[in-house]
Amino acid sequence: MTGSAGSERKPSGPPPALLTGAVADALRATGGRIGGVYLCSATPGLMRLAVLSGLPGPLFRPWWRVIVDRPFPVADVHRTGVPVVLANATETMRHYPQLAAGLPFQFGSIYVPVVAQGRSFGVLAILRPAVADAAEVQEEREQLTVVADALGAALLRLDADGGDVTWDGEPLCVRPPAAGPAPGRVGRFAWDPTTDVVTLDEQARVLLGLPPGESPGTLDALARAVDPTDAHRLPGLLHRTARGRPPPLPVQVRTTEGGLRLLELWEATGPETRPPDPPGSAAAPRPIAGVLLDPGPGALADGAADLLPEGVFCLDRLGLVVYANARAGHLLGVPRDRLVGRSLWEAVPWLNQPTCEEHLRGALLSPAPAHFHVRHPLTTGPSPDPRPYEGDWLHISLYPGADLVTCTAVPANRVPDGTPPEPSQTDPGAPGTAASTAPLYRPIVLAIALTEAVTARQVSAVVMRELLPAFGGRRLAIYLLQERHLYLAWESGFPDGFLSPFEGVALDARLPGVETLTTGRPLFFDSMQQLAAAYPGIALDASEGARAFLPLIASGRPVGSCILGFDRSRSFSSEERTVLTALAGLIAHAMEKAQRYDTEAALARGLQQALLPRRLSQHARVETAGRYLPGTEGMDVGGDWYDVVEAGDGLALVIGDVQGHGVQAAATMGQLRSAVRAFALGDRPPEEVMGGTNHLLIDLDPGQFASCCYVRLDPVTGVARAVRAGHLPPLLRHPDGRTEAVDLPGGVVLGVDPRAHYPVTELRLEPGAILALYTDGLVERPGEDIDDGIAALLRALAEAGGRPGPPADGAHGPRSGGSRGLSLRDVTGPSRDPAGAGSGTAPSPAGGGAAGPRSGGPAHPPLAAVADRLTATARQAADRADDIALLLATRRAAADTASGEHPHHGRDGA
């Protein structure tokens, strides 16, 4: 619980009133008690918490920032645009174990995207009581979506006006709407900085001790109504609030008679509020509103609570102490008047312990009471307030409510005196200090994240993301052992070139990064001077800081070493040393697994590249282009392939996809490609090619199935006979620019049913038309229907092939009806349609295919360029979960061939 709940500096991004109002609306609409909104950061790939309502910000510091590619509900909703509903802790653990590990409490949550016109600005999140099933909160999800859509529309307008819609500051921590009557006496007031008019209601005048009917009309008069020690800072607080910088927590002020009051300020909102200032202009001060609260209880309740043997104090949802009896002040070692009206971690800094923070988080998130023991920190001098016979240990109980958490404290005399107290945060305000909540949950999150990392770079990235923030580190270097030398696998934070002299260092070198591996013992240096004394002459990258050198050893096998760097000198507690050593073992096992994966992936990629065609069969009347894109790093190699084979006097166009990934999928792909190629070279009818390949795969019994599409094309007549085995339908771009998905009736995937029948469909490919065969990796997107992906590919094909034309019937997906402009019919034998064979040899008057202007139509780009444009988005994707194969084919007009032009024959563009 370090720091405060916010900052008085002006936050970046949208107006705070817009964001806090949206969160308040969301809480009212859903009946939730905790809410927040994440916005995109100006840093790509990062989201930041902009507003947090109902929770103390410092307790949730580890969740202030979210990396968009992490398995986290906020990140998933932002990427996919699909809401996420987690009904209870079980659902959270099932879908997001890292979140459940960090917040292992019984609560539910709803996350909806903040979008407008296809643009994602952030995510609106609500935490609520757990329910048995997500269907029970369907209405709340819909209401939350309405609020998120309104916020998205407002942010879109703000962006259009030149405003900032990103967030890079600390979150604004605000109270949620009250669930019941506010405790104590509350008065309201308002101030208009333009006219300097102050308005107070009757209760506010009473709380300030003013005579009935008397009201300060100006800000100066209001300042004279409070204690002189507070009067000098009151105008500054109101002026900052009027310019959009309200104090994050209630401000303590005292009346002229010494009574304690809490002052809460915000910008006034409502129909009369002026519109936002134009971008670039100086922000005009705005009217503000506020409340004045008497935190003290009535005299009778106060006296009754003072008679209790327990200490009783109450916290609001931001961690502010709103009530405490005298016994609580005595046991906590803080006078009651210094306890009430301040945040708990500010008033009682020795409670800044991981145990206290964890239980307080649980009480704020779930309705179950919490009980724990806590010990006063050891004092070096005589105690200013001795507690005879009571000991140093307290038994604390937390009883959560809708708006308050009631806490009790009693002496715990039975706790052994020899039990060491938990360390307290000695410098909570130091910049760069890691939140003390982190060490409790970061090791668990690291372990879970390491199970998801596949490659060595992914393992290193996880360590960088999870381990360094947990301990406040700023530098990281990971070395891996290869042939008795250490080679740098990852570095971050070190000066450029500093680590270069250590590349490939042998195991007999006297360096801490080497000796930690050879001895198996971690090395910790509290300062750079300590490191220099232990290793005279060693090059140092900084004059101040601390270093930890950890051995990476997996099951007794040396893997490498890990170096953690800190900007300031620091000591490593025995607990930290134990945790870091254990985490080094986890990292070593993950690195060893990643090295095995890298070896297998290299083997599979090499096998796959060897099996894919290096050149495609050629024909003077046909131009083809093929592209293959493997999955991105960390994704297993798939079994996609394509081929163009001479089949008698024609060409066979083939594309297929083996189920699964890895070496086995690549090997099966090679066997199927060879089988299809052998059948095609014999000019077997398409249905026999598919049936024979199906029987072969069943006989091989690799435990895998495959999809395939086979098209036997007559280059002269344009007659094509196509067959499909569970594969996606081909796409066709007509010479005039119309596009459609060809409706081919097909059979089941290969390798499943030995009696499967594969019907053949006959069609005609006009000169200049483009036939596209593809695998699912090109059209599948997480959270989207595959038909939408096919429709998007149709549009891209229309634009990439030249001047786009209107879509043909069936262009909206593979399940459409007839295909206008094609001669289609089902055939069961090898015979061809004589009428179809005699047509299509002349160039189409609407377009000339690859020949360009010679055909009389608009120029079309080479087929290879079309293939590149169709795969451009996939090539640029940072995360391709599947590999991609694409095969394009087009016929050239007879006039182009007779003129002596030679077609451009596509080759593997991987």
Side-chain angles (χ1 to χ4, degrees):
M1 273 184 290
T2 58
S4 63
S7 173
E8 289 193 3
R9 65 182 178 83
K10 184 177 180 179
S12 62
L18 173 63
L19 302 179
T20 57
V23 174
D25 291 343
L27 292 175
R28 293 189 189 97
T30 61
R33 303 302 307 139
I34 302 168
V37 59
Y38 283 85
L39 294 180
C40 294
S41 166
T43 302
L46 186 66
M47 300 185 71
R48 293 187 183 274
L49 182 62
V51 172
L52 178 62
S53 177
L55 291 174
L59 276 184
F60 294 84
R61 186 181 297 270
W63 295 273
W64 283 9
R65 59 197 298 270
V66 171
I67 300 174
V68 297
D69 62 352
R70 288 188 58 188
F72 195 76
V74 171
D76 285 353
V77 171
H78 175 65
R79 288 197 316 268
T80 66
V82 179
V84 169
V85 178
L86 302 174
N88 47 52
T90 303
E91 287 294 307
T92 304
M93 177 60 75
R94 180 180 297 119
H95 297 287
Y96 298 97
Q98 293 189 31
L99 174 61
L103 296 172
F105 309 112
Q106 188 59 252
F107 67 93
S109 52
I110 308 174
Y111 309 85
V112 298
V114 178
V115 297
Q117 296 185 7
R119 179 178 175 184
S120 177
F121 294 98
V123 175
L124 188 60
I126 294 296
L127 308 187
R128 64 177 320 282
V131 295
D133 188 79
E136 299 181 36
V137 293
Q138 177 66 22
E139 182 178 353
E140 286 89 340
R141 185 189 71 80
E142 294 173 354
Q143 293 172 340
L144 190 61
T145 301
V146 173
V147 177
D149 290 345
L151 177 58
L155 292 175
L156 186 66
R157 291 192 298 270
L158 178 65
D159 182 61
D161 293 336
D164 187 5
V165 294
T166 61
W167 191 271
D168 282 296
E170 294 184 356
L172 301 173
C173 300
V174 297
R175 288 178 178 79
R185 296 178 296 168
V186 178
R188 300 183 178 276
F189 75 96
W191 176 59
D192 189 337
T194 304
T195 61
D196 195 29
V197 173
V198 174
T199 306
L200 285 80
D201 66 6
E202 185 62 30
Q203 190 65 261
R205 288 193 291 269
V206 171
L207 290 175
L208 288 175
L210 300 174
E214 180 178 333
S215 178
T218 65
L219 181 57
D220 289 340
L222 178 64
R224 290 192 297 271
V226 301
D227 188 84
T229 59
D230 296 322
H232 72 281
R233 62 190 181 102
L234 185 61
L237 288 171
L238 269 65
H239 279 290
R240 284 195 294 272
T241 302
R243 294 190 177 275
R245 292 178 292 168
L249 292 174
V251 179
Q252 299 180 44
V253 295
R254 293 188 180 274
T255 66
T256 54
E257 298 177 355
L260 177 65
R261 302 292 182 260
L262 298 180
L263 179 64
E264 187 169 3
L265 304 171
W266 61 85
E267 287 186 80
T269 58
E272 71 281 358
T273 304
R274 296 193 303 272
D277 301 299
S281 63
R286 299 178 179 281
I288 69 170
V291 295
L292 200 64
L293 170 68
D294 177 8
L300 291 177
D302 195 10
D306 283 344
L307 299 177
L308 295 175
E310 301 92 352
V312 180
F313 58 99
C314 296
L315 308 175
D316 70 1
R317 298 202 67 87
L318 292 187
L320 193 76
V321 181
V322 296
Y323 168 77
N325 66 357
R327 180 64 168 162
H330 173 74
L331 292 175
L332 296 176
V334 181
R336 179 164 60 172
D337 60 348
R338 292 179 52 195
L339 186 62
V340 175
R342 303 173 67 188
S343 63
L344 181 63
W345 44 91
E346 179 186 357
V348 193
W350 62 267
L351 282 179
N352 186 12
Q353 302 180 17
T355 297
C356 301
E357 296 177 354
E358 187 73 0
H359 285 96
L360 183 54
R361 269 198 303 274
L364 291 168
L365 288 172
S366 63
H371 310 276
F372 61 97
H373 290 85
V374 65
R375 186 179 183 181
H376 282 268
L378 300 178
T379 57
T380 57
S383 173
D385 186 14
R387 295 180 300 275
Y389 312 113
E390 291 186 348
D392 294 324
W393 286 88
L394 294 177
H395 178 80
I396 306 291
S397 297
L398 308 176
Y399 301 93
D403 295 317
L404 299 175
V405 176
T406 300
C407 313
T408 64
V410 296
N413 299 327
R414 297 183 180 180
V415 179
D417 289 338
T419 305
E422 295 200 37
S424 61
Q425 185 75 25
T426 58
D427 187 16
T433 302
S436 58
T437 60
L440 274 178
Y441 88 102
R442 288 282 188 183
I444 304 174
V445 173
L446 176 64
I448 296 173
L450 285 176
T451 64
E452 300 171 351
V454 177
T455 68
R457 290 190 60 82
Q458 288 178 345
V459 171
S460 301
V462 167
V463 175
M464 178 71 189
R465 190 171 61 222
E466 303 294 349
L467 185 61
L468 282 189
F471 296 90
R474 291 293 182 269
R475 292 171 171 84
L476 171 68
I478 295 179
Y479 283 85
L480 297 181
L481 181 64
Q482 297 179 20
E483 299 179 353
R484 297 189 59 79
H485 289 75
L486 289 173
Y487 295 92
L488 185 65
W490 181 279
E491 70 166 308
S492 177
F494 287 93
D496 292 340
F498 173 76
L499 297 177
S500 299
F502 305 103
E503 181 71 4
V505 66
L507 292 185
D508 57 358
R510 190 173 185 276
L511 293 169
V514 174
E515 292 188 352
T516 189
L517 179 62
T518 56
T519 63
R521 297 194 309 269
L523 302 175
F524 298 94
F525 300 95
D526 297 348
S527 66
M528 302 303 288
Q529 292 74 22
Q530 195 178 87
L531 174 60
Y535 293 89
I538 188 173
L540 301 178
D541 61 300
S543 59
E544 182 182 1
R547 295 291 182 268
F549 298 84
L550 308 176
L552 302 183
I553 300 175
S555 303
R557 296 181 297 274
V559 176
S561 59
C562 177
I563 305 173
L564 304 180
F566 304 84
D567 288 343
R568 296 185 177 187
S569 299
R570 56 160 296 172
S571 60
F572 297 89
S573 67
S574 58
E575 180 184 0
E576 287 179 319
R577 294 174 183 236
T578 301
V579 171
L580 285 172
T581 303
L583 292 178
L586 292 176
I587 297 169
H589 280 282
M591 276 295 184
E592 190 178 49
K593 181 189 71 173
Q595 288 178 316
R596 288 197 301 268
Y597 169 83
D598 289 339
T599 301
E600 179 182 336
L603 173 63
R605 291 188 191 280
L607 174 62
Q608 189 175 50
Q609 290 294 335
L611 294 174
L612 285 170
R614 295 190 177 275
R615 64 182 305 276
L616 303 178
S617 297
Q618 304 178 11
H619 193 283
R621 294 289 299 276
V622 178
E623 179 184 356
T624 58
R627 295 292 181 267
Y628 172 77
L629 299 178
T632 50
E633 183 181 23
M635 305 301 177
D636 287 333
V637 174
D640 293 16
W641 91 94
Y642 66 88
D643 206 352
V644 178
V645 188
E646 294 182 6
D649 57 353
L651 288 179
L653 311 175
V654 188
I655 199 161
D657 184 1
V658 176
Q659 170 260 341
H661 297 83
V663 175
Q664 181 62 49
T668 303
M669 177 270 287
Q671 292 171 314
L672 290 183
R673 175 176 176 266
S674 299
V676 173
R677 191 174 185 85
F679 286 128
L681 287 172
D683 202 15
R684 303 282 291 276
E687 68 274 17
E688 292 186 20
V689 173
M690 203 63 71
T693 306
N694 179 49
H695 283 286
L696 174 65
L697 184 57
I698 292 175
D699 292 341
L700 291 174
D701 192 20
Q704 295 170 305
F705 58 84
S707 66
C708 185
C709 184
Y710 180 95
V711 179
R712 201 277 187 188
L713 174 65
D714 186 333
V716 177
T717 64
V719 172
R721 307 182 70 247
V723 63
R724 187 163 63 101
H727 201 80
L728 297 173
L731 306 184
L732 182 67
R733 183 187 187 277
H734 294 269
D736 60 3
R738 293 177 297 115
T739 56
E740 62 183 320
V742 182
D743 189 12
L744 294 183
V748 298
V749 292
L750 305 175
V752 174
D753 183 6
R755 297 171 297 179
H757 173 67
Y758 299 98
V760 178
T761 299
E762 190 169 288
L763 56 95
R764 183 178 299 111
L765 187 65
E766 301 288 344
I770 299 176
L771 183 67
L773 309 179
Y774 55 97
T775 57
D776 55 4
L778 189 59
V779 293
E780 276 190 329
R781 297 292 182 272
E784 297 182 12
D785 192 284
I786 194 171
D787 283 359
D788 295 335
I790 294 175
L793 183 59
L794 279 166
R795 292 190 294 270
L797 179 61
E799 297 170 0
R803 184 179 61 192
D809 293 342
H812 298 289
R815 298 187 177 91
S816 301
S819 300
R820 186 180 52 172
L822 284 176
S823 174
L824 298 174
R825 69 184 184 91
D826 291 334
V827 293
T828 56
S831 62
R832 297 184 175 89
D833 179 11
S839 62
T841 56
S844 169
R854 185 179 297 273
S855 307
H860 292 274
L863 206 58
V866 177
D868 288 337
R869 291 186 61 181
L870 294 182
T871 56
T873 301
R875 287 178 183 275
Q876 298 168 4
D879 187 11
R880 285 195 303 273
D882 201 359
D883 50 351
I884 295 170
L886 172 69
L887 178 62
L888 303 180
T890 185
R891 284 183 63 227
R892 299 172 63 86
D896 298 330
T897 306
S899 67
E901 296 183 8
H902 296 285
H904 170 78
H905 298 288
R907 301 176 66 173
D908 183 10

